Amino acid sequence: MAVINTNTVAEQTSNNLRASTASLSKSLSRLSSGLKIVQPSDDAAGLAVSSRLEAQIRRLDAALNNVVNAVSFTQTQDGFLKTVDKALRRMGELAMLSQDTTKSQSDRTLYNQEYVQLQDYIRATATKDFNSVSLFSSTTFGVTIDEKGTTFDFPGTPILSNASYANAIDSSIDLTTSLGSVQALKNVSGAINQIALDRARLGAVQSRLNFTNDQLTTTKENLSAAISRISDVDVAEEATQFARFQILVQSGTTMLAQANALPQSVLELLRS
């Protein structure tokens, strides 16, 4: 059938070229962005899932940050307690030395001066803080351990309000007397026992926080892999598709030119 007004072949070729061009454009967008889902229509369900997973990862990042800060907090606590432990051991040594009957009163006075200075050091340590949060209060601390906001509570480590420490830093204790030295040794021994318990408890808390950190990190890796499978483009596969659509566009353009030339054959009929 030879017609002039309607070129059906050219219209079909134009439609095919339009589809190939659109596919080429989408493939180019995917390769340039690295995303499989460039716009919601590409995969509506996948977009919804990846969006929820990304929000979960953001919450996991925040929980990880909280856990790491809690670890730093407990490590700082233990660092101070370690030096306090050394101070208490020295105080116990001084209390024992002051009970030596061969020591003069002047010697005991010197022992007492050092003892008092170590007491002051422990009192000063009890007022230390971490980012304006008291390190040695009786406050219970809650740490978020997952993206749902679940908290793990660990008790505070008070010094001034703890009887064992308070007895060791009692300013009324005087090593210059025999009774004072005996009482000082008793008080310091109690504080040393208490600090051993507190440091052991802090170690247990740190262990749990470290395991929580590992678990959160693993969960984040798995969620990231899931998002990648949904939204990240396979570059090798998409590059193959891009080459295919590029060839289709080029051939479609050439064929459209041929299809537009078909009506010219009618002129040959008119000339004959």
Side-chain angles (χ1 to χ4, degrees):
M1 181 178 179
V3 296
I4 296 176
N5 290 333
T6 303
N7 191 340
T8 306
V9 175
E11 290 181 358
Q12 292 175 345
T13 304
S14 177
N15 288 335
N16 291 334
L17 178 59
R18 187 180 300 109
S20 297
T21 302
S23 297
L24 180 63
S25 177
K26 182 176 293 185
S27 182
L28 184 61
S29 296
R30 288 173 175 171
L31 287 172
S32 62
S33 66
L35 297 174
K36 186 186 301 182
I37 306 174
V38 178
Q39 50 190 6
S41 60
D42 293 338
D43 184 358
L47 178 64
V49 172
S50 63
S51 179
R52 288 196 295 268
L53 291 178
E54 286 174 357
Q56 187 174 352
I57 286 179
R58 293 293 296 273
R59 294 194 300 271
L60 278 174
D61 282 335
L64 270 168
N65 187 60
N66 292 347
V67 169
V68 170
N69 287 339
V71 171
S72 298
F73 184 87
T74 57
Q75 287 174 338
T76 304
Q77 281 182 310
D78 186 62
F80 278 112
L81 289 179
K82 185 177 181 179
T83 58
V84 169
D85 190 22
K86 291 180 180 179
L88 288 171
R89 290 200 296 268
R90 177 58 179 166
M91 289 166 66
E93 182 181 2
L94 292 170
M96 182 62 71
L97 289 172
S98 67
Q99 295 181 40
D100 185 355
T101 57
T102 65
K103 295 298 191 301
S104 67
Q105 193 64 26
S106 296
D107 293 332
R108 293 189 179 91
T109 299
L110 292 175
Y111 291 149
N112 187 67
Q113 288 178 355
E114 183 179 355
Y115 188 89
V116 170
Q117 288 299 320
L118 292 176
Q119 285 183 316
D120 289 342
Y121 167 75
I122 295 175
R123 291 191 194 94
T125 300
T127 63
K128 299 299 182 182
D129 57 35
F130 180 93
N131 192 33
S132 300
V133 177
S134 176
L135 284 167
F136 302 108
S137 69
S138 58
T139 304
T140 298
F141 298 94
V143 183
T144 52
I145 57 175
D146 60 25
E147 76 283 1
K148 297 179 181 178
T150 305
T151 58
F152 157 59
D153 297 331
F154 65 92
T157 307
I159 290 182
L160 295 178
S161 60
N162 185 291
S164 296
Y165 295 121
N167 290 335
I169 58 177
D170 184 357
S171 58
S172 66
I173 299 299
D174 188 355
L175 298 189
T176 59
T177 66
S178 178
L179 290 177
S181 298
V182 171
Q183 187 62 46
L185 182 60
K186 179 181 179 181
N187 292 348
V188 169
S189 295
I192 290 174
N193 290 334
Q194 182 62 48
I195 204 169
L197 294 175
D198 288 339
R199 293 191 67 196
R201 179 179 51 77
L202 279 177
V205 170
Q206 288 176 10
S207 179
R208 175 168 181 175
L209 291 174
N210 287 330
F211 278 111
T212 301
N213 185 26
D214 292 342
Q215 180 266 319
L216 290 175
T217 301
T218 301
T219 301
K220 180 183 175 181
E221 290 175 357
N222 293 333
L223 290 176
S224 297
I227 292 176
S228 178
R229 285 190 292 270
I230 295 171
S231 61
D232 289 345
V233 69
D234 184 334
V235 176
E237 179 182 353
E238 195 60 42
T240 301
Q241 294 297 321
F242 177 78
R244 172 173 171 265
F245 294 133
Q246 200 171 33
I247 293 172
L248 287 173
V249 168
Q250 292 172 356
S251 63
T253 302
T254 302
M255 292 305 101
L256 181 58
Q258 294 294 326
N260 287 332
L262 285 178
Q264 294 179 8
S265 61
V266 180
L267 296 176
E268 299 297 328
L269 295 174
L270 296 175
R271 291 194 186 102
S272 60

